[in-house]
Amino acid sequence: MIKIRLGDKDEKTVLNYSDLVFIKRLLAKMRDPKTRFDGKEFVSKGEDYLFNYVNKNVGSVDEKRRKFLKGLIFGIAAATIAAIIPGVEVIVPPQVAAISGFPKSLLVDSSGNPIKASEIPVNSPYIVLFEYPMTGEPNFLLNLGDSSGKPVEVPPTKVFVPQTGDTYDFPGGVGPNKSIVAYSAICQHLGCTPPYIHFYPPQYVSPSQLAAPEPDQLTAQALLAAKQAKVPALIHCDCHGSTYDPYHGAAVLTGPTQRPLPTVVLEWDSSTDYLYAVGSVGVAIYPEGANGVPSSNPKADLDNSFGSPVGNKTTVQNTQNPFSGS
């Protein structure tokens, strides 16, 4: 089951992992131009249209899934109606969150050699990703700097969750300058992934990006938020404009997201300069054991039908430079 745990508060069960993955797949299909969900058809035909849509685009609808979908219909209806009204953004994913205690994974390059923290470029425009804790779960790896390119120490802080008003503890940066952080690369609004969501180094947090083509187009709200927060760089999602502050736990700077990006907890071995992924904090989504409690071996809790654990190593890749064509 998936639970919420923010700070020292009790956990609350929300939904099971298979349902969550199902929602993520459904949302991806709904926003895909090739399989876009027709809100007018849904308003006209109701649940029959939804069941047929899911059966065609996501998978067969058995009785269990049918009951689950009925439970979602209110939210989907609200989202659909809102989407029909110009200027109204929607937030469909359920409120979920956080757990730690996953396998310790060494970050390696494509040749299997350990990534050295001191060799990670500061403010790199490349989208640098690694999967954790499961395959198919991308995360950014960032070495943050100031506007002159010098590494910036990222201190621990409390991260505010606008959706709930709760906070949780962000552990801060690691590495020789305490400037290296890692965050989920899945936008907390509607699940968009790179290149639509990515890091904007200081030289790209400027008015010139207002007219840039996707996926490197900033909004005026994002620029204003960066100025007000006094941060030189951003994580921004081109899908709908959600903006996150990488210097303060990927806190929300602009909506429509109401949840920060989950943090991958990193560990730096100063004797080797190696980096390890050791857990996750924030509003994240992960499975637990059948008794609702994480086991001592979290891999045993992971459902293989939705991916496999990355194990004791995870590969870091520079996927692309989204600004190269701008």
Side-chain angles (χ1 to χ4, degrees):
M1 302 296 288
I2 295 167
K3 295 186 174 185
I4 295 175
R5 185 178 63 194
L6 295 175
D8 297 329
K9 294 187 175 183
D10 294 337
E11 295 178 343
K12 299 177 181 178
T13 299
V14 179
L15 73 171
N16 65 49
Y17 186 63
S18 63
D19 288 339
L20 183 60
V21 172
F22 169 76
I23 290 173
K24 291 172 67 176
R25 290 174 176 170
L26 174 59
L27 291 175
K29 290 294 182 182
M30 291 175 77
R31 64 174 177 270
D32 187 331
K34 296 180 181 178
T35 56
R36 189 173 296 281
F37 191 77
D38 190 327
K40 293 182 179 179
E41 283 289 300
F42 176 63
V43 171
S44 173
K45 299 179 181 178
E47 64 182 35
D48 288 341
Y49 172 77
L50 176 61
F51 295 156
N52 289 333
Y53 177 89
V54 172
N55 192 58
K56 179 180 179 181
N57 296 291
V58 185
S60 61
V61 180
D62 57 19
E63 186 60 28
K64 179 182 177 182
R65 188 65 77 203
R66 184 179 291 267
K67 290 181 179 178
F68 180 72
L69 282 169
K70 285 183 177 181
L72 288 179
I73 282 178
F74 176 80
I76 292 174
T80 301
I81 292 169
I84 293 172
I85 303 173
V88 177
E89 294 289 353
V90 299
I91 300 174
V92 179
Q95 175 187 339
V96 291
I99 258 195
S100 60
F102 289 97
K104 183 175 181 177
S105 295
L106 175 66
L107 273 58
V108 299
D109 63 21
S110 56
S111 298
N113 301 312
I115 296 290
K116 292 193 173 183
S118 60
E119 296 178 356
I120 299 175
V122 178
N123 292 338
S124 172
Y126 278 84
I127 299 175
V128 181
L129 301 173
F130 66 93
E131 296 180 337
Y132 186 83
M134 298 175 70
T135 56
E137 297 282 345
N139 301 277
F140 295 119
L141 180 65
L142 306 172
N143 191 2
L144 297 175
D146 60 18
S147 56
S148 64
K150 295 181 179 178
V152 170
E153 179 176 340
V154 182
T157 189
K158 285 194 177 296
V159 181
F160 177 67
V161 183
Q163 187 176 37
T164 62
D166 291 313
T167 61
Y168 61 88
D169 293 325
F170 165 71
V174 300
N177 300 295
K178 299 183 179 179
S179 57
I180 298 172
V181 295
Y183 301 115
S184 170
I186 303 174
C187 184
Q188 286 278 46
H189 174 225
L190 286 178
C192 288
T193 55
Y196 294 102
I197 179 173
H198 64 86
F199 177 66
Y200 285 70
Q203 65 269 34
Y204 294 102
V205 182
S206 69
S208 63
Q209 295 307 122
L210 296 174
E214 291 184 351
D216 56 358
Q217 184 181 69
L218 283 177
T219 63
Q221 291 83 357
L223 288 176
L224 178 61
K227 183 177 180 180
Q228 292 176 334
K230 299 180 180 179
V231 292
L234 301 168
I235 295 173
H236 181 77
C237 184
D238 260 21
C239 287
H240 303 95
S242 295
T243 314
Y244 305 88
D245 179 353
Y247 298 85
H248 299 91
V252 176
L253 285 177
T254 71
T257 183
Q258 295 190 45
R259 298 180 296 277
L261 292 176
T263 296
V264 174
V265 180
L266 297 175
E267 181 179 292
W268 176 56
D269 184 340
S270 59
S271 65
T272 61
D273 204 24
Y274 296 168
L275 291 167
Y276 300 83
V278 297
S280 179
V281 295
V283 187
I285 308 160
Y286 296 111
E288 298 178 359
N291 60 357
V293 178
S295 69
S296 58
N297 177 12
K299 288 186 292 186
D301 298 339
L302 302 178
D303 187 332
N304 289 334
S305 64
F306 303 110
S308 57
V310 296
N312 60 6
K313 293 183 180 178
T314 181
T315 302
V316 176
Q317 296 182 318
N318 293 355
T319 59
Q320 63 177 291
N321 178 356
F323 303 103
S324 59
S326 61

